Amino acid sequence: FTEIDKTLTFKDKVVIAQNDLLQLPDSKMLSNKSTIELLLRLQSKNISLKSIAIFYNGIKTGNNEKFLSENPLTSKHRKVIRGRDIDRYHLDFGGIWVLFEPELLWSNTNQEMFEVQQKIIVRQTGDTLIGALDESQFYTMDTTHLIITKSVNTHYLLTLINSTLLNWYHRQIVPEEGK
């Protein structure tokens, strides 16, 4: 099957066009035709998230023992959120502070990204999308992703991120179920 227009036929007589499979994110191999059709329909009707938002990862310290503490030891310490501190629509500050010295930290040290008035913080790992609104200018660790909206209401985007539909879509294209 080297030509794109060929189709694949399975034992149960499900026929899936090879071109449809190639259009799926990362060419995921799914065998349920209705799932593939719904994924393709969702993809054809959507707008790219990167066209309406800026993405940024949390801080990589290079040495958590050196840079993280349970108390603000200096004026350079900032409250930090980790993935475990995020629930749907809710942030729970876990009492951890990061010594924010950009020249000493490993990466992701753009202070402006953390200090925007509103951002969505999404937990990095897991089989579901879990996001919360941050209006307290928390800094975050590398177990999180930041989403800063450009042209859409932040509350609206947060609702979509936490929705059943986007979580279903995420599970179809990112096989991390049970993590």
Side-chain angles (χ1 to χ4, degrees):
F1 291 96
T2 57
E3 295 178 30
I4 291 182
D5 293 331
K6 300 253 181 182
T7 59
L8 302 175
T9 305
F10 298 99
K11 291 179 184 177
D12 62 357
K13 305 293 182 197
V14 174
V15 177
I16 301 169
Q18 186 177 15
N19 190 41
D20 288 347
L21 292 174
L22 293 173
Q23 291 179 46
L24 295 174
D26 299 323
S27 298
K28 299 284 186 210
M29 186 60 164
L30 303 169
S31 60
N32 183 314
K33 186 174 182 176
S34 62
T35 298
I36 291 170
E37 289 171 350
L38 181 55
L39 286 171
L40 291 173
R41 202 167 345 133
L42 287 171
Q43 283 180 219
S44 71
K45 304 286 185 196
N46 73 9
I47 58 171
S48 168
L49 200 50
K50 67 183 176 185
S51 71
I52 61 169
I54 298 167
F55 293 88
Y56 197 72
N57 290 325
I59 299 166
K60 285 186 182 244
T61 66
N63 184 344
N64 284 350
E65 286 185 26
K66 178 179 177 181
F67 290 99
L68 299 182
S69 66
E70 294 180 356
N71 298 298
L73 304 174
T74 72
S75 62
K76 294 181 180 182
H77 278 80
R78 304 287 185 265
K79 289 182 176 183
V80 71
I81 294 290
R82 298 169 295 173
R84 67 183 86 170
D85 302 329
I86 303 169
D87 287 317
R88 289 179 72 213
Y89 302 105
H90 178 74
L91 296 173
D92 184 23
F93 174 58
I96 301 297
W97 299 73
V98 63
L99 175 58
F100 191 75
E101 293 192 49
E103 64 281 354
L104 300 177
L105 294 166
W106 185 264
S107 67
N108 305 334
T109 59
N110 183 342
Q111 195 168 2
E112 291 177 10
M113 294 296 175
F114 300 109
E115 294 183 356
V116 295
Q117 291 300 309
Q118 278 191 341
K119 65 182 175 283
I120 297 169
I121 304 176
V122 178
R123 191 170 66 188
Q124 180 184 18
T125 58
D127 62 356
T128 58
L129 296 172
I130 296 176
L133 182 66
D134 175 23
E135 296 179 307
S136 299
Q137 293 75 47
F138 283 113
Y139 285 54
T140 68
M141 294 305 297
D142 60 349
T143 53
T144 66
H145 301 293
L146 307 181
I147 302 174
I148 302 162
T149 59
K150 296 188 289 190
S151 61
V152 67
N153 180 285
T154 304
H155 293 91
Y156 174 73
L157 184 56
L158 178 61
T159 301
L160 289 176
I161 288 169
N162 285 320
S163 73
T164 302
L165 176 62
L166 280 190
N167 271 282
W168 175 85
Y169 181 81
H170 179 267
R171 281 191 205 105
Q172 301 308 307
I173 63 172
V174 180
E176 291 190 0
E177 192 166 347
K179 291 186 180 182

